[in-house]
Amino acid sequence: MAGGGGGGRNQRRRSSPAIILFDLTVIWLSLSPSTAEITRVEQPAKNDGSVSLLVVGDWGRRGGYNQSRVAAQMGRIGSELDIDFVISTGDNFYDRGLKNINDPVFALSFKNIYTAPSLHKPWYAVLGNHDYHGDVLAQLAPVLREMDRRWICMRSFIVDAEVAEFFFLDTTPFVLRYWTHPGLKHFDWRGVAPREAYISSLLSDLEEELRASQARWKIVVGHHAIRSASIHGDTSELVELLLPVLKANDVDLYINGHDHCLEHISSSDSPIQFLTSGGGSKAWRGVLRNNEDRVMFFYDGQGFLSMKISGDRLELAFHGISGEVLHRWSTVKSLYSFI
């Protein structure tokens, strides 16, 4: 393969249904709610070819449970790093997603909370299980961008940031018990049912895109964990169905939320690093479980993840509620491994 960053970009095969050029003033998103196809978004890197970003999940509580404090520190760190965008790992609006496109929760939990200038960058968001309790189509509706132009939420999509590609995956439909034993909870399965066909199509499209990718760094983002040492633990359906796809296609990171904590787990049989950033608001569940892979870092509290990716180096840090660095990790990937 050609090296990531710029050399092979014009020769990449584009099998996605749409190519979207991101502009801070104008964006057009087109994705049918009845398909699992993966749409592509172009996110320019900096002039030096690097990208910087923040990752936060499980946050939408109208500022409560320290959401506002985490947001303030995100603004400070975002300014220091000159971030290019923010990733949300889902459960964007508690407890039951959005009721409709006019739901004031969108402003109360997002627009009015993340007000720092550094956070007025694209927010790329996946859906979590709590988002599925509401009107999913409302949360996906492009009209929300008229209320806040930062908001970019789709079921599954790719953000092409030149040096890295981020593959956002709709993981809630994978969890079988949400379908068979939902209890009193409602799940908005419009555009997803039947489950088996949706998952099969999504995995096929993801694998095709991963194989075609010439980005130096491949990062997959979902809501549910593949590996977690917290209360929800590993998601068995993702371990069975998704993990083999990631291993076979040289994925570097899998990033998720769902567990309300911060985690770094290193795969014992592949280069994949599993990162949980679900500490955007309510946390402190008091659970730490054994995991068959190596737990590099675990923090049962609020916070977020920052990341900088350059041509050959990826650096990440987990930050606590005061912005302090709780854990750092970095890795280097030689250019020659891509020639």
Side-chain angles (χ1 to χ4, degrees):
M1 291 185 183
R9 285 178 59 78
N10 294 333
Q11 294 153 10
R12 294 185 195 174
R13 180 171 56 84
R14 304 291 196 183
S15 58
S16 303
I19 297 175
I20 303 169
L21 297 177
F22 183 82
D23 181 272
L24 289 181
T25 57
V26 179
I27 186 168
W28 177 72
L29 301 179
S30 176
L31 182 65
S32 166
S34 63
T35 180
E37 291 180 318
I38 303 178
T39 297
R40 180 177 295 270
V41 177
E42 303 289 346
Q43 169 66 57
K46 294 183 175 68
N47 290 336
D48 65 0
S50 69
V51 294
S52 299
L53 61 133
L54 301 180
V55 184
V56 66
D58 304 83
W59 42 266
R61 296 183 183 272
R62 306 186 185 207
Y65 295 95
N66 288 324
Q67 182 192 359
S68 294
R69 291 184 63 187
V70 173
Q73 294 304 317
M74 288 175 61
R76 182 175 68 83
I77 301 300
S79 178
E80 292 177 4
L81 296 178
D82 186 21
I83 62 168
D84 300 286
F85 57 94
V86 179
I87 288 174
S88 172
T89 58
D91 278 1
N92 306 308
F93 303 103
Y94 283 98
D95 280 330
R96 298 183 179 276
L98 296 180
K99 295 179 181 178
N100 51 57
I101 59 173
N102 297 312
D103 194 332
V105 168
F106 181 74
L108 294 172
S109 291
F110 174 63
K111 183 179 178 68
N112 297 349
I113 302 297
Y114 302 99
T115 56
S118 67
L119 302 182
H120 280 262
K121 301 292 177 64
W123 278 62
Y124 298 117
V126 291
L127 298 169
N129 51 295
H130 281 271
D131 300 311
Y132 265 93
H133 294 335
D135 184 339
V136 167
L137 301 188
Q139 195 169 151
L140 300 174
V143 70
L144 293 186
R145 283 206 30 95
E146 297 178 11
M147 304 176 192
D148 193 312
R149 64 183 185 179
R150 297 175 291 175
W151 184 251
I152 304 170
C153 183
M154 291 178 273
R155 293 189 193 272
S156 296
F157 59 107
I158 298 168
V159 173
D160 183 347
E162 301 186 32
V163 69
E165 286 190 339
F166 296 80
F167 301 80
F168 290 77
L169 197 67
D170 184 21
T171 61
T172 299
F174 281 79
V175 182
L176 182 59
R177 65 182 175 84
Y178 293 159
W179 298 78
T180 60
H181 297 86
L184 299 177
K185 295 179 179 178
H186 163 78
F187 286 86
D188 183 1
W189 296 130
R190 289 176 297 168
V192 174
R195 172 180 177 270
E196 293 78 8
Y198 181 80
I199 292 174
S200 176
S201 175
L202 181 54
L203 287 174
S204 176
D205 288 346
L206 174 66
E207 185 158 29
E208 181 180 3
E209 293 289 354
L210 286 171
R211 286 178 177 174
S213 174
Q214 294 183 27
R216 184 171 300 175
W217 302 96
K218 299 180 187 179
I219 299 169
V220 177
V221 180
H223 177 64
H224 295 78
I226 293 179
R227 296 290 188 216
S228 175
S230 191
I231 188 168
H232 292 301
D234 298 352
T235 306
S236 59
E237 294 90 345
L238 297 184
V239 172
E240 176 186 356
L241 300 173
L242 177 59
L243 184 55
V245 175
L246 306 190
K247 288 181 176 180
N249 289 280
D250 302 316
V251 169
D252 299 287
L253 307 178
Y254 177 77
I255 304 175
N256 61 271
H258 196 46
D259 269 323
H260 298 181
C261 61
L262 307 175
E263 299 181 83
H264 176 192
I265 297 177
S266 184
S267 173
S268 59
D269 61 0
S270 79
I272 300 175
Q273 307 297 312
F274 303 100
L275 307 174
T276 297
S277 184
S281 58
K282 189 176 182 180
W284 305 109
R285 292 187 168 183
V287 175
L288 174 60
R289 297 174 172 172
N290 292 329
N291 194 274
E292 66 180 68
D293 284 332
R294 182 185 177 193
V295 179
M296 305 278 287
F297 165 74
F298 178 88
Y299 179 68
D300 187 21
Q302 290 114 341
F304 57 98
L305 171 66
S306 69
M307 191 179 304
K308 180 178 179 179
I309 308 172
S310 61
D312 61 353
R313 187 174 181 84
L314 185 150
E315 302 172 286
L316 61 86
F318 284 97
H319 303 264
I321 196 169
S322 298
E324 73 278 19
V325 174
L326 303 172
H327 172 69
R328 290 189 188 274
W329 184 83
S330 64
T331 187
V332 174
K333 183 177 291 188
S334 170
L335 170 64
Y336 297 106
S337 65
F338 291 83
I339 295 177

